Amino acid sequence: MMYRLARPLFFSLDPEQAHAVALESLRMAHVLGLLAPLARSIPEDPRDVMGIRFPNPVGLAAGLDKDGRYIGALGALGFGFIEVGTVTPRPQPGNPRPRLFRLPESEALINRMGFNNGGLNAFLQNVRRARFAGVLGLNIGKNADTPLERAAEDYLTCLEGVYPYASYVTVNISSPNTKNLRQLQDAEALGALLGQLKDRQARLADRHGRYVPLVLKIAPDLDEEAIVGIAAAARAHAIDGLIATNTTVSRSEVLGQAHAEEPGGLSGAPLGEASNRVIQSLVKRLEDSIPVIGVGGILSGADAKGKIAAGARLVQLYTGLIYRGPDIIAQCARALRG
Ligand SMILES: Cc1cc2nc3c(=O)[nH]c(=O)nc-3n(C[C@H](O)[C@H](O)[C@H](O)COP(=O)(O)O)c2cc1C
């Protein structure tokens, strides 16, 4: 309700500026205790996935809070879990602005942020300071200037750092905005990367006396053969979960609209069906061996139900929050409770 009044104001600003103002407003609202009624309106609907109890199945997708600066405020909105990052070992500025675009006709965004973030140390400081009691996913990536052959080192550095603070760790190999990153989804590269990550996870589990699930986030722009390969690698390496999907490089759903030609990843409503297709195909290949978290194009409770119908065990959203406001969380949670 409040968001309906605030949205025209946010949408009158440059998208990235609006993003910053919205997050600062949210922090203020949280400090003033104004978010509590929102969270209270969300039904308890616990789901046990990857050995974690999620209070409800609706999560915040990665990328809204890249540095983990707003964990408390975002957690107070009533999400069943929140995922922050992507973090890279070293700070990096990301791509030049403008790098975020609205396509309001389709309730979509195009972004080519390029993993702008303050680096692992700053991220960990923020995460520690948050002392968040809810389910927290920490999403890790590689620096833009790390050659692809050395990508595993970046992921391992990040895994070491975030492990003690994460409910689960997401390995992001699917952003279209870091050159060649998505090649890590190819069978050979993926097998090598997952092998090293699983080894390190086992050692970290020993060291910290706690097993933290490792989750792989994949792109929507994959053909059947690629999905079969990813499912096989995930099973072979006993990956704990998959997140499907990241943003798409396809523009087939938004042709002719302003900004449609901007390079980057498309998110929001036009991504929904492509993401559902990947989830369906992945779930079929995984034969229930590994849970899938469904994300991409959830703008309503019905969309969230569509993800579960496609075989996802939990859902996440980002762009829906920008277009529909925080009420979308309760709408999805209620729709999934049935
Ligand atoms: C501006 C923006 C930045 C994003 N940054 C990240 C990121 O850093 N890491 C990541 O794994 N996904 C990132 N994503 C992808 C989202 O987590 C999500 O997978 C995608 O947007 C599809 O969901 P949606 O349609 O609900 O937005 C980003 C998305 C947007 C719109």
Side-chain angles (χ1 to χ4, degrees):
M1 167 63 190
M2 236 153 50
Y3 190 76
R4 218 172 300 156
L5 301 174
R7 196 185 108 146
L9 192 79
F10 290 142
F11 274 47
S12 71
L13 301 172
D14 155 76
E16 203 168 337
Q17 225 177 350
H19 180 104
V21 172
L23 283 172
E24 282 304 325
S25 316
L26 193 66
R27 189 212 297 277
M28 199 106 77
H30 177 47
V31 169
L32 295 174
L34 300 176
L35 302 180
L38 261 176
R40 272 200 298 272
S41 73
I42 292 171
E44 277 283 316
D45 182 13
R47 311 279 170 118
D48 293 309
V49 183
M50 306 187 293
I52 299 169
R53 170 148 291 203
F54 293 76
N56 72 64
V58 183
L60 172 69
L64 179 66
D65 185 9
K66 300 220 185 226
D67 289 311
R69 292 174 57 208
Y70 302 94
I71 293 172
L74 290 167
L77 288 175
F79 283 112
F81 59 115
I82 60 175
E83 189 172 314
V84 298
T86 297
V87 66
T88 58
R90 287 166 285 116
Q92 61 179 30
N95 290 317
R97 300 185 193 201
R99 52 191 180 179
L100 177 60
F101 307 87
R102 296 186 193 99
L103 288 74
E105 193 183 315
S106 292
E107 297 192 283
L109 297 171
I110 289 175
N111 91 83
R112 52 168 177 274
M113 307 300 286
F115 293 169
N116 55 306
N117 78 104
L120 183 62
N121 288 341
F123 183 81
L124 293 179
Q125 232 171 40
N126 293 335
V127 170
R128 273 194 291 263
R129 201 174 293 145
R131 295 175 175 278
F132 185 57
V135 178
L136 182 64
L138 302 180
N139 181 308
I140 62 175
K142 73 175 265 298
N143 279 109
D145 61 2
T146 300
L148 205 62
E149 314 82 74
R150 303 187 65 172
E153 292 171 31
D154 278 13
Y155 286 102
L156 290 170
T157 300
C158 288
L159 179 61
E160 284 266 348
V162 304
Y163 192 94
Y165 312 103
S167 306
Y168 68 88
V169 177
T170 301
V171 179
N172 179 10
I173 50 168
S174 48
S175 167
N177 302 314
T178 295
K179 198 163 171 253
N180 298 334
L181 186 80
R182 289 170 299 154
Q183 287 178 18
L184 294 172
Q185 297 177 122
D186 298 349
E188 202 177 318
L190 184 59
L193 177 65
L194 295 186
Q196 294 184 69
L197 285 166
K198 283 299 291 189
D199 269 4
R200 189 62 61 92
Q201 177 198 35
R203 266 190 275 160
L204 287 164
D206 261 2
R207 191 192 305 163
H208 295 286
R210 187 168 75 95
Y211 182 85
V212 176
L214 210 52
V215 177
L216 192 64
K217 182 164 178 179
I218 66 168
D221 309 308
L222 298 167
D223 59 20
E224 199 56 32
E225 192 189 335
I227 293 172
V228 168
I230 289 170
R235 290 180 80 163
H237 292 282
I239 288 301
D240 301 287
L242 283 143
I243 300 183
T245 67
N246 215 309
T247 56
T248 178
V249 293
S250 164
R251 296 293 186 269
S252 58
E253 304 295 313
V254 294
L255 291 175
Q257 291 183 36
H259 304 305
E261 303 298 317
E262 292 288 351
L266 174 72
S267 61
L271 172 61
E273 277 192 29
S275 136
N276 287 352
R277 273 198 300 275
V278 171
I279 294 167
Q280 251 163 8
S281 156
L282 203 53
V283 167
K284 189 168 125 200
R285 307 292 171 186
L286 292 169
E287 296 172 343
D288 263 346
S289 56
I290 303 176
V292 173
I293 300 173
V295 52
I298 296 179
L299 273 293
S300 68
D303 296 334
K305 277 177 106 164
K307 291 271 179 280
I308 301 293
R313 301 276 302 279
L314 303 163
V315 302
Q316 289 180 323
L317 56 89
Y318 179 156
T319 306
L321 192 64
I322 309 296
Y323 280 96
R324 303 289 175 96
D327 285 348
I328 192 176
I329 308 163
Q331 282 161 17
C332 291
R334 284 193 208 112
L336 295 187
R337 192 151 181 251

